[in-house]
Amino acid sequence: MPRLNRRQLRMFPLAERQHKLVMDAIAIAPDAPPPALSADVKAQVEVAAQRIIAARAHDKPVMLTYGAHLIKNGLGPLIVRLLAEGWLTHVATNGAGSIHDWEFAFFGRSTEDVRANVAKGKFGAWEETGRLLNLAIAVGGTQQLGYGEAVGRMIADGGLEIPTPTALREAIAHAATQPTPDETLGALADLLYLVTTFAIPSGWLAIPHPYKETAVQYAAARLGVPFTVHPGIGYDIIYTHPMNCGGAIGRGAVRDFLSYADSVSQLDGGVHLSVGSAIMAPMIFEKALSMANNLALQHGHALADYYLLVNDIQDGGGWDWRNGEPPMDNPAYYLRFCKSFYRMGGELDYVCLDNRAFLLGLYQALRTQCRG
């Protein structure tokens, strides 16, 4: 079957891109005045804060899954604060959520004009983003890191240690002789392919990230909080770059999914927040919960006591999901992300609100209730 040869593509320096977003201009300060909320929405936010406080008081998980617009809306610094104060125990996003977060850490800017750049054949064809993220994931794979942790570690370390081809060949030969070689064998082979094919110099590759303090991946790596990435092959701009390696991406993403599933398996008494993720969050949650129940039922019980909150801007038609699933003639029935989460048991609440107002309001409610 014919395949497009990415090595024939022309990549462009990230500095040439006309960036639509600058972190200094969009960052939401965690200590900004709380947003004006309606009485109903304020009550929902207050309940969410209560559930989070109760969960953390009993050392239960509080998980946040989100789409890339959370980062593009300047909420990285607020998530960093939530992590630093111990409110979040697991953070999960899609591939774009990781990419924008990294670009802000590396360059202080992100996002491009998709329509104009597709017409020019330049959309996503950015050298540093494609080269460094793909390389970080491949290097991380040899260290048994998942996708998110590999990127976070690169930011935290300020670079990558690139093994020599000889060292990689020796490690592959050793791994292949083991009675039960693990998946590191494949990771070593993927990295050998990259360093030889693209003539990557061995040794320390310095990659400064001057804006890392606003990066969620950096904060998670520094604090030891799981940050998992759940990509779709071909969804993100790093698949444009010739150094993209399907084996490395798949290996890192599967490791991240299993880390996410492990957190879900401990969710009894905990909280799962889904912010602006209509597809990724409900899809990974339902598989992870089924796996968690498979294990829990072997010990006589399924998970049941958890609070699910979905935040998005799609009109929910005023339906209160705490009252059950709406009938098919109600528009809320077709909010697939709410319906998927509702069918997962536990208690579900849907907050129809801009994610900036929701997360800032939630953080302010956490602070207020703790002071009270």
Side-chain angles (χ1 to χ4, degrees):
M1 181 183 299
R3 291 178 291 181
L4 188 144
N5 184 355
R6 288 179 295 192
R7 296 186 67 184
Q8 295 178 351
L9 297 175
R10 179 185 174 193
M11 295 291 116
F12 301 90
L14 195 56
E16 288 186 7
R17 188 168 75 185
Q18 292 186 347
H19 298 84
K20 297 175 69 176
L21 298 175
V22 179
M23 178 54 74
D24 285 347
I26 65 170
I28 303 296
D31 297 319
L37 304 176
S38 70
D40 288 344
V41 169
K42 185 176 181 181
Q44 289 178 298
V45 172
E46 294 286 345
V47 168
Q50 292 167 13
R51 298 298 292 262
I52 291 171
I53 291 169
R56 297 307 300 131
H58 293 89
D59 199 27
K60 299 296 183 179
V62 176
M63 304 176 66
L64 171 65
T65 55
Y66 61 88
H69 274 87
L70 182 150
I71 299 299
K72 293 168 69 176
N73 282 342
L75 285 161
L78 180 55
I79 304 305
V80 169
R81 178 73 68 85
L82 288 166
L83 284 165
E85 294 184 4
W87 295 117
L88 299 176
T89 63
H90 190 118
V91 184
T93 190
N94 55 16
S98 169
I99 291 167
H100 289 297
D101 187 59
W102 178 81
E103 287 189 341
F104 281 128
F106 179 75
F107 204 63
R109 304 158 187 264
S110 190
T111 309
E112 60 188 295
D113 187 325
V114 178
R115 180 183 302 200
N117 284 346
V118 167
K120 298 174 184 176
K122 297 180 72 171
F123 173 60
W126 308 108
E127 174 62 21
E128 294 90 340
T129 302
R131 181 182 184 86
L132 297 177
L133 287 179
N134 280 304
L135 186 57
I137 295 163
V139 170
T142 66
Q143 301 164 3
Q144 299 191 359
L145 303 181
Y147 185 139
E149 188 176 5
V151 176
R153 185 76 62 83
M154 173 177 67
I155 299 172
D157 292 347
L160 297 168
E161 185 66 37
I162 309 299
T164 66
T166 298
L168 287 168
R169 290 189 175 95
E170 290 174 351
I172 290 168
H174 174 75
T177 62
Q178 301 306 301
T180 55
D182 62 24
E183 62 181 10
T184 305
L185 176 60
L188 292 164
D190 286 336
L191 185 55
L192 177 62
Y193 161 75
L194 290 177
V195 299
T196 55
T197 302
F198 297 95
I200 299 170
S202 58
W204 180 249
L205 174 60
I207 308 168
H209 292 82
Y211 310 96
K212 64 185 179 183
E213 296 300 330
T214 65
V216 181
Q217 288 165 114
Y218 168 65
R222 180 170 52 86
L223 296 167
V225 176
F227 182 105
T228 55
V229 180
H230 306 269
I233 298 296
Y235 287 12
D236 307 312
I237 64 171
I238 64 169
Y239 298 99
T240 300
H241 198 279
M243 281 183 58
N244 174 250
C245 176
I249 294 288
R251 189 176 298 106
V254 169
R255 285 173 175 165
D256 276 6
F257 173 66
L258 295 177
S259 173
Y260 172 84
D262 182 69
S263 291
V264 169
S265 74
Q266 304 170 52
L267 197 59
D268 253 344
V271 174
H272 186 284
L273 307 171
S274 173
V275 177
S277 180
I279 297 173
M280 180 273 292
M283 292 299 97
I284 63 172
F285 184 80
E286 65 183 14
K287 281 75 173 183
L289 182 62
S290 180
M291 294 163 68
N293 280 333
N294 184 301
L295 294 174
L297 286 166
Q298 295 179 41
H299 300 281
H301 65 89
L303 279 68
D305 177 24
Y306 42 88
Y307 176 70
L308 308 175
L309 184 141
V310 177
N311 165 231
D312 214 302
I313 58 173
Q314 294 191 47
D315 184 6
W319 185 264
D320 188 344
W321 286 87
R322 290 168 294 187
N323 294 330
E325 188 173 305
M328 293 183 66
D329 61 356
N330 188 303
Y333 178 85
Y334 299 96
L335 289 179
R336 175 60 188 268
F337 50 92
C338 283
K339 187 164 57 177
S340 293
F341 274 114
Y342 174 77
R343 293 175 176 179
M344 295 299 101
E347 178 185 344
L348 174 67
D349 201 3
Y350 177 55
V351 179
C352 183
L353 187 67
D354 181 279
N355 58 27
R356 289 165 289 198
F358 169 69
L359 285 167
L360 185 57
L362 178 63
Y363 178 65
Q364 299 288 357
L366 289 167
R367 295 182 66 186
T368 299
Q369 292 185 26
C370 286
R371 285 198 300 264

